[in-house]
Amino acid sequence: MEENQNYHMTSEEFRHWGYKTIDWIADYLNNVEELPVLSQVEPGDIRAKLPETAPQQGESFAAILKDIDEIIVPGLTNWQSPNFFAFFPTGISAPSILGELISAGMGVQGMLWATSPACTELETHVLDWLVDMLELPLHFKSSNTGGGVIQDSASSASLVALVAAREQAKADVSKLVAYTSTQAHSSIEKGVKIAGLSRENLRLIEVGADYAMQPEALQQCIESDIQAGLTPFYIAATVGTTSSNAIDPLAKLGAIAQKYHIWLHVDGAMSGTAALCPEYRWIHQGLELADSYCFNPHKWMMTNFDCTCFYVRDKAKLIQSLSIMPEFLKNQASESGKVIDYRDWQIPLGRRFRSLKLWFVIRHYGIEGLQHYVRKHIALAQEFAEWVKSDPRFELAANPPLNLVCFRHQGGDEINQIILNSLNSSGKIYLTATKLDQKLTLRMSIGQATTEKLNVQQAWELISQIADANEGI
Ligand SMILES: *Cc1c(COP(=O)(O)O)cnc(C)c1O
């Protein structure tokens, strides 16, 4: 190697390839509808196309971009296809992509206020905006006892809430008991394990016919745990369960949480965004009784992963449970008490400038633009549900409250499995399934940024055709 050799891209090369890269992204998104939604490769196919070892000498960026098309794209499940109806919405948008890019270009670490004041203050400000935009309880605002922070995921948010609740309970960990419903997301159980509790310290509370947690069952369970000398400390309620979009009755659960001094965390990861529209704010009825809350703009608010908005009623409790001050992080701003150091609100130390993309999205679309997409997706889902209802071969497994339709062919699990496999191997649409009441149930989740009525119509026609072709099974 020569002395002083410079391996970097020049600024001119960066501009050139930067423009090409944006062109690539625009072309990809323009053409994504033509690609199979679910990747059709076999395990190992992608690695087989990659060289055994890393290159000794650097390669041209042209060669790298070429491999994106030739090696990577065939191995993508194309989440941004308007025909993606699997799992949950994961819409992205041009302003969000650009926000990510600028964040990468700045490359700042926002662990402390002092390590980039703008990173902290923009985040606080945008999360305060969202309290108004969703009409969340005012104590979640940074000017009150609480505040908001961006976490990487709803999984981290519920874990952090659990750790704060554990601290608040001040009891032996082996005696602590956490509660959630049988329909809650798997991340709640994972959080319980990570926080040092055993699986036996988690109660899965029964749900009613609407798949929402039954408050009476919760109360009974808490009473019997107290009688057994245990300490109930954490309830995780869900607004929009992943399986069926059930909305737990927050007001009743909140009253129980208050009575027994238990931390109530509300997981609105998938559905919280609906509260952008006044007519859907009923989903958060009772949220004022919660100690913490999260929803994912990286699901239904056209913001690239990762971006979970997490709020606490009392920030002091959260900070107490997570703050450690080593010598090398000490600084005047932190000691003044006038600033927020978000490293004390999360598990890792380091943090990206994630509020940029959220700020870009909110400013580009405005509240009105964001409401437009929520309303559009819900209207499409409701229309799809009507088609299901009016077809005697099919039934709804639950009344869809928002934009997720759970339905099944009445012929039993086998035919539903055939429909699911045929749909997904066709590459034309991608759907996932769940079990409700032990029955295989198809889930039509409508919330991608570019999904139009035509996409939903085509999906229903395809489902209908496959059902026809398998009549009599
Ligand atoms: C998607 C989802 C999660 C997990 O979200 P991550 O941000 O990926 O951790 C948790 N809870 C609910 C209700 C969800 O829909």
Side-chain angles (χ1 to χ4, degrees):
M1 189 186 21
E2 284 171 41
E3 285 288 310
N4 297 325
Q5 184 169 356
N6 185 352
Y7 291 92
H8 297 309
M9 255 190 200
T10 64
S11 175
E12 286 65 40
E13 285 169 330
F14 175 67
R15 275 179 215 282
H16 175 79
W17 290 112
Y19 299 145
K20 291 265 188 229
T21 300
I22 294 287
D23 283 343
W24 187 91
I25 298 172
D27 289 343
Y28 170 73
L29 293 174
N30 278 342
N31 300 328
V32 69
E33 190 168 0
E34 312 307 322
L35 300 172
V37 191
L38 177 66
S39 175
Q40 307 285 317
V41 299
E42 296 295 327
D45 280 358
I46 306 304
R47 290 198 65 180
K49 292 189 207 154
L50 294 166
E52 197 81 2
T53 55
Q56 185 64 30
Q57 260 109 42
E59 300 178 59
S60 75
F61 203 77
I64 299 172
L65 269 188
K66 185 163 163 275
D67 283 349
I68 290 283
D69 283 320
E70 294 181 0
I71 302 177
I72 302 302
V73 170
L76 292 181
T77 287
N78 292 290
W79 288 69
Q80 298 314 316
S81 168
N83 299 314
F84 182 98
F85 302 108
F87 304 107
F88 37 74
T90 52
I92 63 167
S93 61
S96 169
I97 296 166
L98 297 175
E100 280 280 46
L101 191 59
I102 292 186
S103 166
M106 291 173 171
V108 303
Q109 264 286 356
M111 55 200 184
L112 302 169
W113 177 87
T115 61
S116 257
C119 180
T120 294
E121 293 196 14
L122 182 66
E123 185 163 329
T124 308
H125 204 76
V126 171
L127 271 86
D128 277 351
W129 274 3
L130 281 161
V131 170
D132 294 330
M133 288 168 66
L134 274 67
E135 217 182 294
L136 299 176
L138 286 177
H139 53 238
F140 285 157
K141 276 208 176 170
S142 62
S143 50
N144 292 334
T145 52
V149 60
I150 301 178
Q151 301 275 341
D152 56 6
S153 62
S155 309
S156 292
S158 58
L159 172 58
V160 162
L162 193 97
V163 169
R166 190 185 65 188
E167 198 87 351
Q168 170 180 273
K170 293 188 177 50
D172 182 352
V173 174
S174 68
K175 299 252 190 266
L176 295 177
V177 189
Y179 304 82
T180 197
S181 90
T182 56
Q183 297 293 307
H185 192 265
S186 54
S187 56
I188 304 293
E189 180 172 341
K190 194 172 184 180
V192 162
K193 285 188 182 171
I194 297 170
L197 280 75
S198 78
R199 174 62 188 77
E200 286 74 61
N201 300 42
L202 175 66
R203 307 276 180 263
L204 299 181
I205 304 299
E206 274 310 303
V207 295
D210 55 357
Y211 303 104
M213 199 191 305
Q214 284 191 319
E216 302 74 22
L218 173 67
Q219 172 137 358
Q220 275 170 18
C221 196
I222 290 171
E223 284 286 349
S224 73
D225 283 330
I226 291 172
Q227 270 167 22
L230 300 171
T231 308
F233 83 111
Y234 179 77
I235 301 169
T238 313
V239 168
T241 58
T242 317
S243 236
S244 71
N245 222 352
I247 317 269
D248 286 344
L250 301 185
K252 287 184 178 163
L253 302 179
I256 296 171
Q258 290 214 316
K259 179 171 176 202
Y260 297 97
H261 306 290
I262 303 173
W263 185 290
L264 175 63
H265 174 65
V266 175
D267 175 4
M270 183 168 76
S271 300
T273 302
L276 284 167
C277 304
E279 67 271 31
Y280 301 121
R281 290 196 184 137
W282 58 266
I283 63 173
H284 285 152
Q285 213 168 23
L287 186 61
E288 63 282 359
L289 300 171
D291 294 281
S292 54
Y293 168 75
C294 78
F295 84 105
N296 287 357
H298 71 228
K299 277 184 170 159
W300 198 12
M301 219 177 94
M302 295 183 287
T303 305
N304 290 62
F305 191 85
D306 49 353
C307 186
T308 291
C309 294
F310 174 60
Y311 292 94
V312 283
R313 168 203 290 275
D314 183 350
K315 56 183 164 262
K317 285 184 184 165
L318 180 67
I319 295 169
Q320 269 162 27
S321 66
L322 294 173
S323 179
I324 293 164
M325 193 37 121
E327 209 51 42
F328 64 86
L329 288 178
K330 287 194 175 149
N331 67 88
Q332 276 184 353
S334 297
E335 277 156 30
S336 76
K338 288 187 194 142
V339 301
I340 292 177
D341 289 328
Y342 276 130
R343 69 181 190 105
D344 296 332
W345 297 52
Q346 61 173 24
I347 294 161
L349 170 64
R351 57 201 330 273
R352 308 194 304 121
F353 200 162
R354 283 181 293 221
S355 56
L356 273 180
K357 61 186 167 192
L358 195 50
W359 190 45
F360 280 25
V361 166
I362 295 170
R363 292 183 67 183
H364 172 86
Y365 288 95
I367 296 171
E368 198 179 285
L370 295 171
Q371 287 172 333
H372 169 82
Y373 288 97
V374 166
R375 291 186 175 126
K376 176 170 176 165
H377 295 146
I378 295 178
L380 287 175
Q382 298 301 324
E383 200 169 354
F384 182 90
E386 288 304 317
W387 300 336
V388 171
K389 264 202 276 191
S390 60
D391 186 323
R393 296 170 299 175
F394 287 90
E395 65 180 1
L396 289 177
N399 273 326
L402 302 167
N403 61 331
L404 172 67
V405 184
C406 292
F407 68 106
R408 55 174 96 91
H409 192 287
Q410 308 216 45
D413 284 3
E414 194 189 344
I415 176 82
N416 283 295
Q417 191 66 56
I418 289 171
I419 292 174
L420 186 68
N421 295 350
S422 314
L423 287 173
N424 294 342
S425 60
S426 78
K428 290 181 186 159
I429 67 172
Y430 182 23
L431 224 69
T432 45
T434 187
K435 280 253 160 105
L436 291 172
D437 290 331
Q438 270 77 260
K439 289 184 205 154
L440 190 67
T441 302
L442 307 175
R443 294 167 74 264
M444 179 82 179
S445 162
I446 301 177
Q448 294 306 82
T450 55
T451 295
E452 294 291 337
K453 182 165 177 179
L454 186 62
N455 301 106
V456 180
Q457 273 171 336
Q458 285 168 351
W460 177 240
E461 277 163 26
L462 198 58
I463 292 165
S464 203
Q465 280 164 16
I466 296 171
D468 276 343
N470 292 282
E471 209 50 63
I473 281 190

